[in-house]
Amino acid sequence: MKPIVSSFEEAVKNIHDGATILVGGFGLVGIPENLILALKDSGVKDLTIISNNCGVDDWGLGLLLKNKQIKKMIGSYVGENKEFERQVMAGEIEIELVPQGTLAERMRAGGAGIPAFYTPAGVGTPIAEGREVRSFDGKDYLLEKAISADFSLVRAAKADTIGNLIYNKTARNFNPIAAAAGEVTIAEVEELVEPGELDPGQIHTPSIYVQQLIVGEQEKRIERLTTR
């Protein structure tokens, strides 16, 4: 059985100033929104956040950004967040932009214990400046280091009390690889069941990667509502 905490405040209490945190989600889909809210309320600061993007101005990781709790952001997309753009232009936050496929593979490698890998993405661009490039079979590849973190915050649709996780459709996105690459993975889940109730063939994250569970309802905001 994995620890099942009773509040989101308790779930994030061990996250300290200066921590490196992997956060699942893509846009606002699949984000651990209640854990992010609890992190905002905790006041923890100087965080390095690794996620595909940084939420929007008033939701998701954008709340931590607005609260000046993020020291450095590693991601692939700025896009929908004007406050993020403002902080970058003002030099108030460090940013490392990574091609999206490379970001995913860096996380996957971190979870698999692979220290680095070569990729053609970024060769011949400013991303490759001052970094190792090797040629394989006549083609150049850029060395990329794996990503891991002190904590991973992920969201799942279902979990059993052992810690096996199932994600709902596109909410799967970065969550499985983020879960695997954190030293301590905290999973925010919508439904908790007993061992044996999940189909083993449908489990996306095995329990070995999960250290803590918290159950809670979600708002599931829409990032950009389009109506006709």
Side-chain angles (χ1 to χ4, degrees):
M1 298 296 214
K2 292 297 166 71
I4 302 168
V5 296
S6 58
S7 71
F8 287 95
E9 293 73 23
E10 183 183 356
V12 302
K13 69 178 183 180
N14 291 324
I15 297 179
H16 51 81
D17 289 353
T20 299
I21 308 173
L22 273 160
V23 183
F26 188 102
L28 297 183
V29 178
I31 64 169
E33 57 185 55
N34 291 303
L35 287 171
I36 293 170
L37 283 168
L39 209 55
K40 176 184 77 74
D41 292 340
S42 76
V44 67
K45 60 185 184 299
D46 294 331
L47 301 173
T48 295
I49 300 292
I50 307 160
S51 191
N52 177 67
N53 57 285
C54 204
V56 295
D57 286 316
D58 61 348
W59 197 241
L61 291 171
L63 296 173
L64 301 184
L65 195 67
K66 187 176 181 180
N67 222 24
K68 300 292 184 69
Q69 292 171 269
I70 302 176
K71 178 182 178 182
K72 180 177 182 179
M73 178 70 197
I74 301 174
S76 67
Y77 179 61
V78 176
E80 305 299 324
N81 199 312
K82 293 180 181 178
E83 175 61 16
F84 193 5
E85 179 183 355
R86 189 200 67 76
Q87 288 190 25
V88 171
M89 297 299 289
E92 296 174 5
I93 188 173
E94 298 176 52
I95 182 171
E96 181 181 339
L97 289 176
V98 184
Q100 195 168 85
T102 301
L103 180 66
E105 183 62 10
R106 288 179 69 187
M107 290 186 194
R108 192 201 68 81
I114 298 169
F117 59 91
Y118 287 97
T119 174
V123 172
T125 75
I127 289 175
E129 291 179 3
R131 297 171 58 191
E132 181 180 340
V133 175
R134 284 187 61 183
S135 180
F136 297 90
D137 298 323
K139 186 174 181 178
D140 288 341
Y141 294 82
L142 176 65
L143 181 68
E144 290 280 4
K145 293 183 178 180
I147 282 176
S148 57
D150 302 316
F151 299 90
S152 287
L153 306 182
V154 301
R155 178 183 126 200
K158 288 185 178 182
D160 60 24
T161 55
I162 296 173
N164 295 303
L165 306 180
I166 292 178
Y167 309 101
N168 184 35
K169 301 182 176 67
T170 57
R172 186 173 176 179
N173 52 60
F174 278 82
N175 278 299
I177 51 178
E183 185 174 339
V184 175
T185 293
I186 306 168
E188 174 177 332
V189 305
E190 298 172 64
E191 182 181 354
L192 190 65
V193 301
E194 294 301 317
E197 292 187 44
L198 299 181
D199 179 352
Q202 298 301 313
I203 290 171
H204 300 131
T205 293
S207 62
I208 192 171
Y209 292 120
V210 178
Q211 280 70 50
Q212 191 169 283
L213 297 166
I214 176 73
V215 182
E217 294 184 4
Q218 294 235 334
E219 284 192 36
K220 299 182 182 178
R221 293 190 187 182
I222 296 174
E223 186 171 355
R224 183 180 294 178
L225 182 64
T226 302
T227 58
R228 186 167 53 175

XYZ file of all heavy atoms in Angstrom, residues 145-218:
555
model
N 21.229 15.614 -22.466
C 21.281 14.930 -21.175
C 19.873 14.609 -20.677
O 18.919 15.341 -20.943
C 22.016 15.791 -20.150
C 23.501 15.968 -20.448
C 24.192 16.764 -19.345
C 25.683 16.905 -19.627
N 26.360 17.683 -18.561
N 19.770 13.538 -19.939
C 18.497 13.117 -19.364
C 18.024 14.116 -18.318
O 18.811 14.898 -17.771
C 18.632 11.736 -18.741
N 16.728 14.089 -18.054
C 16.120 14.937 -17.033
C 15.556 14.062 -15.919
O 14.891 13.058 -16.176
C 14.974 15.783 -17.629
C 15.536 16.974 -18.406
C 14.019 16.271 -16.541
C 14.462 17.804 -19.093
N 15.838 14.450 -14.694
C 15.174 13.856 -13.535
C 14.908 14.993 -12.549
O 15.348 16.118 -12.759
C 16.035 12.758 -12.898
O 17.296 13.283 -12.522
N 14.172 14.708 -11.484
C 13.786 15.779 -10.573
C 13.655 15.274 -9.151
O 13.542 14.064 -8.910
C 12.459 16.402 -11.034
N 13.646 16.215 -8.216
C 13.423 15.861 -6.812
C 12.013 15.314 -6.613
O 11.807 14.344 -5.879
C 13.606 17.096 -5.916
C 14.973 17.729 -6.041
O 15.970 16.971 -6.058
O 15.070 18.969 -6.124
N 11.046 15.956 -7.302
C 9.643 15.571 -7.167
C 8.985 15.543 -8.538
O 9.347 16.309 -9.427
C 8.879 16.561 -6.280
C 9.389 16.672 -4.874
C 10.366 17.598 -4.543
C 8.892 15.841 -3.872
C 10.842 17.705 -3.248
C 9.372 15.941 -2.576
C 10.347 16.867 -2.261
N 7.999 14.667 -8.698
C 7.128 14.677 -9.861
C 5.688 14.799 -9.381
O 5.277 14.074 -8.466
C 7.285 13.396 -10.690
O 8.512 13.387 -11.385
N 4.947 15.705 -10.000
C 3.531 15.872 -9.709
C 2.757 15.460 -10.954
O 2.941 16.045 -12.028
C 3.210 17.329 -9.362
C 4.035 17.978 -8.249
C 3.548 19.402 -7.997
C 3.992 17.152 -6.968
N 1.904 14.443 -10.817
C 1.160 13.933 -11.967
C -0.311 13.789 -11.611
O -0.689 13.803 -10.440
C 1.722 12.576 -12.453
C 3.190 12.706 -12.853
C 1.549 11.487 -11.398
N -1.123 13.643 -12.642
C -2.546 13.428 -12.428
C -3.006 12.188 -13.170
O -2.652 11.970 -14.329
C -3.343 14.623 -12.926
C -4.850 14.407 -12.768
C -5.611 15.567 -13.326
N -6.606 15.144 -14.301
C -7.131 15.951 -15.202
N -6.721 17.199 -15.292
N -8.037 15.508 -16.032
N -3.811 11.373 -12.502
C -4.362 10.156 -13.104
C -5.867 10.112 -12.898
O -6.395 10.685 -11.938
C -3.709 8.917 -12.496
N -6.544 9.406 -13.794
C -7.989 9.232 -13.651
C -8.301 8.208 -12.568
O -9.216 8.400 -11.768
C -8.600 8.802 -14.982
N -7.519 7.122 -12.551
C -7.739 6.056 -11.578
C -6.417 5.574 -11.013
O -5.384 5.609 -11.681
C -8.448 4.861 -12.231
C -9.897 5.084 -12.578
C -10.509 3.781 -13.111
C -11.981 3.952 -13.439
N -12.599 2.688 -13.917
N -6.483 5.111 -9.790
C -5.324 4.466 -9.159
C -5.845 3.402 -8.212
O -6.970 3.495 -7.710
C -4.483 5.476 -8.390
N -5.026 2.378 -7.982
C -5.356 1.478 -6.885
C -4.479 1.839 -5.693
O -3.558 2.659 -5.807
C -5.223 0.006 -7.289
C -3.822 -0.390 -7.745
O -2.853 0.287 -7.358
O -3.686 -1.390 -8.481
N -4.781 1.262 -4.558
C -4.079 1.657 -3.337
C -2.623 1.209 -3.321
O -1.849 1.644 -2.458
C -4.803 1.090 -2.101
O -4.942 -0.333 -2.238
C -6.176 1.725 -1.937
N -2.241 0.373 -4.275
C -0.831 -0.012 -4.417
C -0.054 1.098 -5.117
O 1.159 1.232 -4.945
C -0.711 -1.337 -5.201
C -1.368 -2.469 -4.419
C 0.742 -1.695 -5.494
C -1.431 -3.782 -5.202
N -0.762 1.903 -5.948
C -0.101 3.000 -6.647
C -0.052 2.862 -8.148
O 0.578 3.683 -8.818
N -0.700 1.839 -8.722
C -0.781 1.732 -10.178
C -1.708 2.814 -10.716
O -2.760 3.089 -10.117
C -1.307 0.355 -10.588
C -0.360 -0.758 -10.207
O 0.799 -0.755 -10.598
N -0.854 -1.715 -9.423
N -1.343 3.425 -11.842
C -2.095 4.565 -12.365
C -2.613 4.316 -13.779
O -1.943 3.694 -14.605
C -1.211 5.819 -12.403
C -0.498 6.243 -11.120
C 0.318 7.504 -11.386
C -1.480 6.459 -9.983
N -3.808 4.857 -14.030
C -4.387 4.879 -15.375
C -4.785 6.320 -15.682
O -5.444 6.985 -14.880
C -5.625 3.960 -15.484
C -5.211 2.491 -15.354
C -6.349 4.192 -16.818
C -6.385 1.524 -15.392
N -4.380 6.813 -16.858
C -4.713 8.170 -17.288
C -5.859 8.120 -18.301
O -6.044 7.127 -18.993
C -3.483 8.836 -17.911
C -2.254 8.755 -17.038
C -1.262 7.801 -17.292
C -2.082 9.600 -15.951
C -0.144 7.702 -16.484
C -0.960 9.523 -15.140
C 0.011 8.570 -15.410
O 1.120 8.462 -14.610
N -6.590 9.211 -18.378
C -7.748 9.274 -19.266
C -7.393 9.916 -20.608
O -7.103 11.107 -20.669
C -8.880 10.063 -18.599
C -10.144 10.077 -19.447
O -10.452 9.106 -20.121
N -10.871 11.180 -19.410
N -7.391 9.120 -21.646
C -7.211 9.602 -23.021
C -5.994 10.535 -23.135
O -4.905 10.175 -22.749
C -8.496 10.274 -23.515
C -9.708 9.345 -23.505
C -10.930 10.040 -24.031
C -12.122 9.093 -24.114
N -12.594 8.646 -22.787
N -6.198 11.767 -23.673
C -5.048 12.656 -23.905
C -4.432 13.197 -22.619
O -3.342 13.791 -22.665
C -5.447 13.846 -24.802
O -6.530 14.549 -24.197
C -5.849 13.363 -26.178
N -5.096 13.009 -21.480
C -4.483 13.402 -20.203
C -3.276 12.528 -19.873
O -2.534 12.816 -18.934
C -5.509 13.327 -19.080
N -3.084 11.490 -20.669
C -1.896 10.642 -20.493
C -0.622 11.430 -20.802
O 0.356 11.342 -20.075
C -2.026 9.422 -21.406
C -0.951 8.373 -21.232
C -1.327 7.154 -22.078
N -0.305 6.124 -22.061
C -0.413 4.959 -22.710
N -1.518 4.706 -23.392
N 0.544 4.061 -22.653
N -0.637 12.173 -21.902
C 0.457 13.014 -22.398
C 1.805 12.832 -21.688
O 2.422 11.768 -21.772
C 0.027 14.489 -22.441
C -0.561 15.020 -21.148
O 0.072 15.023 -20.107
N -1.796 15.496 -21.236
N 2.284 13.847 -20.954
C 3.605 13.776 -20.316
C 3.578 13.072 -18.960
O 4.623 12.867 -18.341
C 4.175 15.187 -20.132
C 4.833 15.766 -21.350
C 4.080 16.374 -22.347
C 6.209 15.704 -21.509
C 4.675 16.912 -23.471
C 6.829 16.234 -22.633
C 6.058 16.847 -23.620
N 2.400 12.720 -18.462
C 2.306 12.193 -17.103
C 3.111 10.911 -16.857
O 3.819 10.824 -15.848
C 0.843 11.998 -16.714
C 0.207 13.286 -16.235
O 0.633 13.874 -15.248
N -0.823 13.741 -16.949
N 3.043 9.890 -17.733
C 3.795 8.652 -17.432
C 5.307 8.856 -17.351
O 5.959 8.300 -16.464
C 3.422 7.722 -18.583
C 2.121 8.229 -19.094
C 2.195 9.719 -18.924
N 5.854 9.651 -18.271
C 7.311 9.838 -18.250
C 7.724 10.762 -17.110
O 8.814 10.599 -16.540
C 7.853 10.334 -19.605
C 7.069 11.559 -20.111
C 7.825 9.216 -20.634
C 7.600 12.119 -21.419
N 6.868 11.710 -16.759
C 7.165 12.557 -15.595
C 7.145 11.729 -14.317
O 8.007 11.887 -13.447
C 6.154 13.699 -15.509
N 6.186 10.817 -14.216
C 6.074 9.974 -13.019
C 7.322 9.124 -12.815
O 7.771 8.911 -11.687
C 4.845 9.078 -13.127
N 7.889 8.646 -13.914
C 9.040 7.749 -13.824
C 10.337 8.478 -13.496
O 11.277 7.870 -12.984
C 9.203 6.974 -15.133
N 10.401 9.783 -13.787
C 11.674 10.507 -13.671
C 11.813 11.302 -12.378
O 12.803 12.008 -12.200
C 11.849 11.443 -14.872
N 10.860 11.189 -11.468
C 10.961 11.903 -10.203
C 11.451 11.004 -9.084
O 11.094 9.824 -9.018
N 12.272 11.546 -8.211
C 12.722 10.765 -7.052
C 11.545 10.451 -6.130
O 11.441 9.355 -5.578
C 13.800 11.536 -6.298
C 14.409 10.756 -5.146
C 15.579 11.469 -4.499
O 16.185 12.351 -5.130
O 15.899 11.141 -3.340
N 10.659 11.441 -5.975
C 9.416 11.251 -5.228
C 8.267 11.668 -6.136
O 8.189 12.829 -6.540
C 9.379 12.102 -3.940
C 8.013 11.981 -3.253
C 10.490 11.685 -2.993
N 7.387 10.735 -6.462
C 6.261 11.023 -7.344
C 4.967 11.056 -6.535
O 4.630 10.098 -5.841
C 6.165 9.986 -8.475
O 7.299 10.135 -9.339
C 4.894 10.172 -9.284
N 4.277 12.180 -6.647
C 2.997 12.373 -5.966
C 1.906 12.376 -7.027
O 1.929 13.209 -7.942
C 2.978 13.690 -5.175
C 4.181 13.765 -4.223
C 1.666 13.849 -4.418
C 4.403 15.146 -3.628
N 0.957 11.465 -6.915
C -0.092 11.328 -7.917
C -1.417 11.842 -7.382
O -1.908 11.371 -6.350
C -0.229 9.872 -8.352
N -1.983 12.810 -8.080
C -3.324 13.316 -7.796
C -4.304 12.482 -8.626
O -4.206 12.467 -9.862
C -3.389 14.789 -8.183
C -4.754 15.417 -8.070
C -4.734 16.899 -8.409
O -3.689 17.552 -8.212
O -5.775 17.395 -8.874
N -5.225 11.807 -7.982
C -6.116 10.887 -8.694
C -7.581 11.239 -8.432
O -7.939 11.766 -7.385
C -5.842 9.409 -8.317
C -4.381 9.063 -8.563
C -6.213 9.125 -6.877
N -8.416 10.910 -9.423
C -9.838 11.199 -9.309
C -10.619 10.042 -8.696
O -11.667 10.256 -8.101
C -10.400 11.544 -10.680
C -9.760 12.800 -11.279
C -10.179 13.041 -12.701
O -11.376 13.278 -12.935
O -9.309 12.969 -13.593
N -10.119 8.839 -8.857
C -10.819 7.673 -8.324
C -9.808 6.672 -7.789
O -8.834 6.346 -8.471
C -11.676 7.022 -9.411
C -12.476 5.816 -8.935
C -13.291 5.166 -10.034
O -13.339 5.713 -11.156
O -13.881 4.096 -9.777
N -10.040 6.177 -6.588
C -9.150 5.208 -5.964
C -9.902 3.887 -5.768
O -11.018 3.869 -5.255
C -8.674 5.741 -4.613
C -7.559 4.979 -3.904
C -6.268 5.039 -4.700
C -7.348 5.545 -2.494
N -9.277 2.785 -6.205
C -9.906 1.467 -6.107
C -8.961 0.513 -5.387
O -7.794 0.823 -5.135
C -10.270 0.914 -7.499
C -11.224 1.845 -8.227
C -9.004 0.672 -8.346
N -9.479 -0.667 -5.085
C -8.685 -1.675 -4.400
C -7.808 -2.444 -5.381
O -8.109 -2.515 -6.578
C -9.609 -2.645 -3.653
C -10.373 -2.016 -2.499
C -9.459 -1.427 -1.456
O -8.450 -2.090 -1.110
O -9.728 -0.309 -0.983
N -6.706 -3.050 -4.907
C -5.865 -3.880 -5.770
C -6.686 -4.968 -6.450
O -7.558 -5.584 -5.842
C -4.840 -4.475 -4.793
C -4.776 -3.496 -3.676
C -6.175 -2.953 -3.534
N -6.407 -5.172 -7.740
C -7.125 -6.182 -8.504
C -8.289 -5.630 -9.303
O -8.802 -6.299 -10.206
N -8.723 -4.400 -9.000
C -9.843 -3.813 -9.725
C -9.426 -3.159 -11.035
O -10.275 -2.888 -11.889
C -10.573 -2.800 -8.844
C -11.302 -3.425 -7.663
C -12.156 -2.413 -6.913
O -12.847 -1.627 -7.593
O -12.116 -2.409 -5.668
N -8.148 -2.877 -11.202
C -7.656 -2.331 -12.468
C -7.205 -3.459 -13.380
O -6.559 -4.412 -12.931
C -6.484 -1.372 -12.224
C -6.750 -0.131 -11.368
C -5.483 0.710 -11.266
C -7.896 0.702 -11.926
N -7.520 -3.338 -14.664
C -7.060 -4.310 -15.655
C -5.543 -4.138 -15.808
O -5.076 -3.066 -16.195
C -7.755 -4.049 -16.990
C -7.309 -5.005 -18.094
O -6.350 -5.780 -17.883
O -7.928 -4.963 -19.173
N -4.751 -5.163 -15.501
C -3.289 -5.028 -15.589
C -2.815 -4.565 -16.966
O -1.806 -3.857 -17.067
C -2.780 -6.446 -15.280
C -3.869 -7.059 -14.466
C -5.145 -6.498 -15.017
N -3.554 -4.945 -18.006
C -3.163 -4.561 -19.356
C -3.426 -3.102 -19.676
O -2.956 -2.595 -20.697
N -4.168 -2.418 -18.808
C -4.503 -1.015 -19.041
C -3.704 -0.048 -18.167
O -3.860 1.164 -18.271
C -6.000 -0.802 -18.782
C -6.908 -1.599 -19.689
C -6.701 -1.281 -21.154
O -6.631 -0.116 -21.532
N -6.579 -2.312 -21.978
N -2.842 -0.580 -17.301
C -2.065 0.287 -16.395
C -0.979 1.025 -17.176
O -0.196 0.418 -17.903
C -1.465 -0.546 -15.250
C -2.590 -1.003 -14.307
C -0.418 0.261 -14.482
C -2.157 -2.005 -13.272
N -0.929 2.346 -17.014
C 0.043 3.169 -17.732
C 1.301 3.442 -16.912
O 2.397 3.512 -17.461
C -0.600 4.506 -18.129
C -1.794 4.370 -19.006
N -2.994 5.017 -18.782
C -1.995 3.626 -20.123
C -3.867 4.713 -19.722
N -3.292 3.859 -20.540
N 1.141 3.615 -15.597
C 2.293 3.824 -14.702
C 2.263 2.764 -13.616
O 1.337 2.738 -12.802
C 2.260 5.222 -14.063
O 2.463 6.212 -15.069
C 3.353 5.365 -13.013
N 3.263 1.877 -13.591
C 3.326 0.868 -12.529
C 3.585 1.509 -11.168
O 4.215 2.570 -11.063
C 4.502 -0.022 -12.952
C 4.724 0.270 -14.395
C 4.317 1.699 -14.589
N 3.148 0.853 -10.135
C 3.211 1.407 -8.780
C 4.626 1.679 -8.291
O 4.817 2.503 -7.392
C 2.523 0.452 -7.803
O 3.186 -0.803 -7.766
N 5.603 1.019 -8.868
C 6.989 1.196 -8.409
C 7.448 2.641 -8.563
O 8.336 3.115 -7.844
C 7.941 0.228 -9.163
C 9.310 0.203 -8.481
C 8.062 0.625 -10.629
C 10.228 -0.863 -9.014
N 6.819 3.395 -9.480
C 7.222 4.781 -9.713
C 6.499 5.771 -8.800
O 6.820 6.964 -8.815
C 6.948 5.175 -11.164
C 7.815 4.460 -12.167
C 7.245 3.659 -13.150
C 9.197 4.594 -12.151
C 8.030 2.998 -14.086
C 9.989 3.944 -13.082
C 9.398 3.151 -14.044
O 10.176 2.499 -14.973
N 5.503 5.310 -8.051
C 4.651 6.228 -7.287
C 4.922 6.085 -5.787
O 4.900 4.979 -5.250
C 3.164 5.961 -7.587
C 2.268 6.881 -6.765
C 2.879 6.127 -9.080
N 5.154 7.210 -5.124
C 5.438 7.185 -3.685
C 4.264 7.667 -2.830
O 4.196 7.355 -1.643
C 6.661 8.061 -3.379
C 7.990 7.396 -3.663
C 8.252 7.210 -5.137
O 8.122 8.156 -5.922
N 8.613 5.996 -5.550
N 3.336 8.425 -3.430
C 2.278 9.017 -2.613
C 1.036 9.280 -3.466
O 1.143 9.650 -4.639
C 2.791 10.334 -2.019
C 1.922 10.948 -0.945
C 2.651 12.074 -0.247
O 3.514 11.868 0.589
N 2.311 13.299 -0.586
N -0.143 9.094 -2.864
C -1.414 9.297 -3.556
C -2.270 10.317 -2.807
O -2.237 10.390 -1.584
C -2.195 7.983 -3.659
C -1.560 6.842 -4.458
C -2.298 5.538 -4.170
C -1.580 7.145 -5.953
N -3.043 11.090 -3.577
C -4.014 12.006 -3.002
C -5.230 12.012 -3.922
O -5.090 12.069 -5.141
C -3.427 13.428 -2.832
C -4.480 14.428 -2.323
C -2.796 13.936 -4.115
C -4.858 14.265 -0.889
N -6.424 11.928 -3.343
C -7.654 11.864 -4.124
C -8.362 13.209 -4.068
O -8.456 13.826 -2.998
C -8.595 10.763 -3.585
C -9.858 10.665 -4.446
C -7.874 9.425 -3.537
N -8.868 13.661 -5.230
C -9.597 14.933 -5.237
C -10.291 15.197 -6.552
O -9.887 14.686 -7.601
N -11.349 16.003 -6.501
C -12.063 16.397 -7.711
C -11.306 17.506 -8.429
O -10.538 18.245 -7.820
C -13.471 16.886 -7.354
C -14.371 15.801 -6.787
C -15.778 16.306 -6.539
O -16.055 17.477 -6.888
O -16.578 15.532 -5.999
N -11.560 17.624 -9.739
C -10.876 18.609 -10.556
C -11.870 19.532 -11.253
O -12.989 19.133 -11.585
C -10.041 17.891 -11.622
C -8.896 17.068 -11.064
C -7.580 17.456 -11.681
O -7.531 17.945 -12.801
N -6.507 17.249 -10.960
